[in-house]
Amino acid sequence: MELKGVIAINNILNEFLEQFDCSADIGEDFCYWERTNEINYAFVVASNNDVWFKEFAHSLMPNLNCDIFLLSLFHEIGHHETIDDIEDDVLRECWKVKGELNQKKTFTKEDNFRYFNLPDEKAATEWGLQYMIDHKAEVADLWRKLQPAILNFYRLNDIH
């Protein structure tokens, strides 16, 4: 089944992401592909992961409230913006820990916070949070365009 409304969301995101030399497309989860500078976004993720990620982000920036979609999007842009600042040996250690965590069938809250605190993940989150704080009007404008497109996506695909 082909999802309806994705092109409209992609167009909004890609116009915004031009300034970062990135592009966006729907995927199974939020992630950043360094080789292609592509950010995948998703609408269905494990609810505990969302709750715990919002809790983690709130611990870093208590005064920022935003939708989990925006939080996740700016985290992925943060990967693009911070990846070159992280030493190769540190990145290798992050990948090692991620590999260990991915062997698990379920992620506990402790596992999630271990993941969120990995140097590359924390740097991406901090970058995304700071960008949203420093560019409130720009982010609000993006959300004014994006939210109706996301709601239309739900409507078109009969998602409740």
Side-chain angles (χ1 to χ4, degrees):
M1 174 180 95
E2 186 172 327
L3 295 172
K4 300 171 188 155
V6 171
I7 291 172
I9 294 168
N10 283 353
N11 287 344
I12 293 165
L13 289 173
N14 286 327
E15 180 182 335
F16 179 80
L17 290 171
E18 279 179 9
Q19 65 185 310
F20 301 104
D21 194 30
C22 287
S23 63
D25 198 6
I26 196 166
E28 293 180 16
D29 200 354
F30 278 87
C31 65
Y32 169 65
W33 300 99
E34 183 181 5
R35 287 192 179 107
T36 59
N37 292 342
E38 183 174 271
I39 292 171
N40 284 155
Y41 62 89
F43 296 111
V44 179
V45 294
S47 60
N48 280 343
N49 293 353
D50 276 0
V51 169
W52 294 329
F53 185 50
K54 284 182 86 166
E55 182 181 326
F56 176 74
H58 184 73
S59 74
L60 296 175
M61 194 82 57
N63 296 329
L64 178 67
N65 292 309
C66 68
D67 185 86
I68 189 64
F69 187 93
L70 284 180
L71 179 59
S72 300
L73 174 67
F74 280 93
H75 167 85
E76 299 308 336
I77 298 169
H79 276 301
H80 175 72
E81 293 295 311
T82 61
I83 194 85
D84 292 335
D85 300 335
I86 300 170
E87 299 292 327
D88 289 345
D89 59 331
V90 173
L91 278 176
R92 279 191 292 278
E93 184 60 28
C94 292
W95 294 331
K96 179 183 166 206
V97 171
K98 290 175 187 181
E100 293 168 6
L101 289 170
N102 285 332
Q103 298 299 314
K104 295 182 158 210
K105 291 190 191 320
T106 58
F107 267 35
T108 64
K109 183 175 182 177
E110 181 180 87
D111 293 332
N112 273 270
F113 275 79
R114 183 176 179 208
Y115 179 88
F116 301 151
N117 277 295
L118 289 170
D120 63 330
E121 296 299 327
K122 189 172 183 184
T125 302
E126 289 173 333
W127 186 95
L129 293 170
Q130 194 60 55
Y131 189 91
M132 287 190 283
I133 292 289
D134 293 344
H135 300 88
K136 283 181 184 172
E138 180 185 2
V139 173
D141 185 52
L142 171 64
W143 190 238
R144 273 192 295 279
K145 296 173 187 172
L146 195 54
Q147 186 182 35
I150 291 171
L151 293 174
N152 190 49
F153 169 86
Y154 290 150
R155 185 185 61 74
L156 290 172
N157 294 289
D158 198 28
I159 299 170
H160 304 280

